[in-house]
Amino acid sequence: MMTKRMNNTLKFAIYIVVFSFICPVGEKLLGYQNTIVDRLPFTCLLWLILVGVFYIFFYKKTRRNSPKATYQTNVRSSLLLSICRPAGFAAVK
């Protein structure tokens, strides 16, 4: 049970880190960071919304893996995901 939750958390943390790495690269290639600065707040908001979608899929997958999950286990999974994300960002940087 713990292994499934941990694997699910690490998998989604990797998804978010890869997506978060691809977004700035895409912005750089499209020229948003140099010339089209007016649209940068929109793209940052879009990034935040899409990361929220990753979190929703994470919660659905966690709920599917353990249907008797309590509030406490869901909070632990969310905290673990929130801890794994910066660790992944540090590894990418």
Side-chain angles (χ1 to χ4, degrees):
M1 173 94 151
M2 181 69 168
T3 310
K4 280 186 178 180
R5 188 173 71 210
M6 188 70 158
N7 288 341
N8 190 30
T9 304
L10 290 175
K11 180 174 70 172
F12 274 91
I14 290 170
Y15 288 163
I16 292 171
V17 167
V18 167
F19 174 73
S20 299
F21 178 72
I22 290 173
C23 271
V25 170
E27 287 177 0
K28 184 73 172 172
L29 291 175
L30 292 174
Y32 280 172
Q33 294 179 346
N34 294 333
T35 57
I36 312 174
V37 180
D38 296 338
R39 294 184 190 162
L40 194 56
F42 173 73
T43 58
C44 290
L45 180 64
L46 183 63
W47 173 84
L48 187 61
I49 290 170
L50 290 175
V51 167
V53 169
F54 277 114
Y55 267 91
I56 290 171
F57 284 132
F58 168 71
Y59 292 137
K60 285 185 179 184
K61 182 85 171 191
T62 303
R63 184 59 124 183
R64 203 175 321 134
N65 286 343
S66 58
K68 295 183 180 181
T70 62
Y71 180 77
Q72 184 179 9
T73 57
N74 290 336
V75 169
R76 281 185 191 163
S77 295
S78 301
L79 287 175
L80 188 61
L81 180 63
S82 297
I83 290 170
C84 290
R85 275 182 46 203
F89 288 138
V92 168
K93 294 284 179 177

